[in-house]
């Protein structure tokens, strides 16, 4: 059997492949209107928030990931590592935030290795902005970047189209209205660490209570000049259910009644040898 | 006049000319045998909003950068750079093998950045393999 295809004339290009988009458009037309729904990507309908306090930045996030109406992950980690001094909360399509923050982290690591310096938060923001603008919002990543570098503590929000905001307190995701209410009420400049943690936690809690897409626990991440404290979970959900029993069965639970071994006889029917054309 | 340049320099610089004939083979006519039936609807609009912009992304970025460079430093700057790019682009293995493009990457500065083109659809892991003879013939333009 000849494995090489004669219609492949060039090596395929790397990167995004748009071959299936025509097929998908046709499928949407044929299957749409309630007959069959195409599978929706997993989104982190989310509440994420961040606050700049006296010594650094506090980032917070809930831990629920939804796939339309179903909770896909009850303990998902939405605060991603970017650099030793920079962490990023991600809302939107889960895979997009994950991959984008991974790429960002890799690029900044290479930069650190080249220059033996910790990256600045503004570098992360610039890279993200360029990357997301290039794809015109098709990459659904709503990110809150927080970090401490030698210029101080910074908190940025980056939208999927590449828009950037630098503010002292932020909330994003589907539960951002509820969280923003708490933040607007409770924020003041130069908060203490405990006040900042309580404020972010109540903001995320408000999002969890008021938004269907957010839920489960609250994760916090405190970034200071000295280091990072990733508290997961900071506050556990009070609606955790108790498992009623164990679902794993011991080996030997199903008794073997009878065993019968029959060897399968394989007979060679036909053998052909095809010479490869090496002319 | 006899063409005294080596065979390598005759390799087809495959920059597809859009707008003429998307399924073109030799002589510019639709090549049904190798590219299948052509449909006007498919070729009229790209099915994905990003398809065109992604295909031409590097070209457009280079164009923009070179024109800025020309305005700042004069014509010699983009001219010399493009000459170097052209030379580096010719350092390739045979068409069906993966080339490292190390010189080209270093010139572009993409040897210390990671993008989606390094992560997705790595040609080394491609499921389809081209016939070496056909690929070399296509590259040489004698297909």
């Amino acid at each position: 059997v000849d494995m090489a295809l004669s219609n492949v004339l060039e090596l395929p290009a790397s990167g995004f492949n748009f071959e299936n988009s025509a097929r998908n458009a046709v499928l949407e037309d044929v299957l749409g209107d309630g007959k069959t729904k195409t599978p929706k990507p997993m989104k982190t309908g989310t509440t994420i928030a961040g606050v700049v306090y006296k010594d650094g930045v506090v980032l917070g996030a809930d831990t629920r990931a939804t796939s339309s109406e179903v909770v896909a992950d009850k303990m998902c980690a939405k605060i991603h590592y970017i650099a030793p001094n920079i962490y990023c909360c991600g809302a939107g399509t889960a895979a997009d935030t994950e991959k984008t923050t991974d790429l960002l982290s890799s690029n900044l690591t290479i930069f650190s290795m080249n220059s033996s310096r910790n990256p600045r938060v503004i570098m992360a923001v610039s890279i993200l902005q360029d990357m997301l603008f290039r794809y015109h919002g098709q990459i659904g990543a709503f990110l809150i970047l927080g970090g401490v570098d030698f210029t101080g503590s910074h908190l940025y929000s980056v939208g999927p189209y590449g828009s950037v905001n630098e503010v002292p307190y932020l909330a994003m995701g589907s539960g951002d209205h509820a969280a923003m209410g708490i933040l607007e009420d409770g924020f003041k400049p130069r908060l203490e660490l405990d006040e900042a943690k309580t404020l972010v936690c109540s903001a995320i809690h408000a999002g969890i209570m008021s938004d269907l897409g957010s839920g489960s626990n609250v994760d916090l991440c405190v970034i200071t000049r000295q280091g990072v404290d990733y508290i997961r979970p900071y506050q556990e959900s009070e609606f955790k259910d108790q498992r009623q029993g164990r679902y794993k069965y011991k080996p030997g639970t199903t008794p073997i009644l009878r065993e019968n071994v029959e060897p399968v006889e394989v007979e060679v029917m036909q053998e052909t040898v095809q010479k490869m054309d090496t002319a | 006049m006899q063409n005294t340049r080596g065979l390598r320099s005759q390799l087809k610089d495959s920059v597809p000319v859009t707008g003429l004939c998307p399924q073109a083979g030799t002589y510019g006519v639709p090549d049904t045998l190798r590219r299948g039936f052509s449909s006007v609807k498919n070729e009229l609009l790209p099915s994905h909003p990003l398809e065109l912009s992604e295909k031409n992304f590097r070209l457009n970025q280079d164009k923009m950068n070179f024109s800025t460079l020309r305005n700042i430093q004069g014509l010699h700057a983009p001219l010399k750079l493009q000459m170097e790019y052209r030379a580096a682009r010719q350092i390739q293995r045979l068409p069906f093998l993966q080339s490292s493009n190390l010189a080209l990457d270093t010139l572009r500065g993409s040897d210390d950045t990671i993008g989606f083109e390094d992560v997705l659809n790595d040609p080394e892991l491609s499921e389809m393999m081209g016939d070496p003879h056909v690929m070399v013939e296509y590259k040489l333009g004698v297909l």
Side-chain angles (χ1 to χ4, degrees), chain A residues 209-252:
Chain A
M209 286 291 121
S210 321
D211 177 42
L212 288 178
S214 317
S216 301
N217 311 334
V218 178
D219 289 347
L220 278 193
C221 183
V222 182
I223 311 172
T224 53
R225 192 174 287 268
Q226 285 75 42
V228 171
D229 187 15
Y230 194 132
I231 314 166
R232 175 176 156 84
Y234 178 74
Q235 184 191 77
E236 287 210 332
S237 158
E238 54 256 32
F239 302 105
K240 244 171 115 82
D241 48 4
Q242 296 294 329
R243 282 268 155 85
Q244 298 299 326
R246 291 184 53 81
Y247 299 113
K248 274 183 151 34
Y249 292 100
K250 286 197 317 292

Side-chain angles (χ1 to χ4, degrees), chain B residues 9 12 16 27 29-30 34 42 50 55 57 59 69-70 77 89 94-95 111-112 122 131 134 137 140:
Chain B
S9 59
K12 194 161 80 161
Y27 310 118
V29 289
R34 284 189 197 88
N42 281 345
L50 281 182
K55 212 194 300 189
F57 184 75
L59 289 167
L69 199 57
R70 178 190 179 156
R89 215 179 305 153
L94 287 172
D111 59 340
D112 56 3
D122 194 1
D131 188 3
V134 174
E137 284 170 18
L140 288 174

Side-chain angles (χ1 to χ4, degrees), chain A residues 153-208:
Chain A
S153 334
H154 300 278
L155 188 66
Y156 290 92
S157 81
V158 183
Y161 288 86
S163 55
V164 169
N165 259 334
E166 182 177 9
V167 270
Y169 59 93
L170 264 179
M172 274 188 125
S174 51
D176 65 346
H177 292 133
M180 207 51 176
I182 303 283
L183 286 175
E184 291 276 6
D185 188 43
F187 178 81
K188 41 186 208 295
R190 310 192 60 74
L191 284 163
E192 292 295 329
L193 174 62
D194 289 320
E195 291 175 340
K197 276 166 52 172
T198 323
L199 181 63
V200 175
C201 186
S202 8
I204 304 289
H205 188 75
I208 289 175

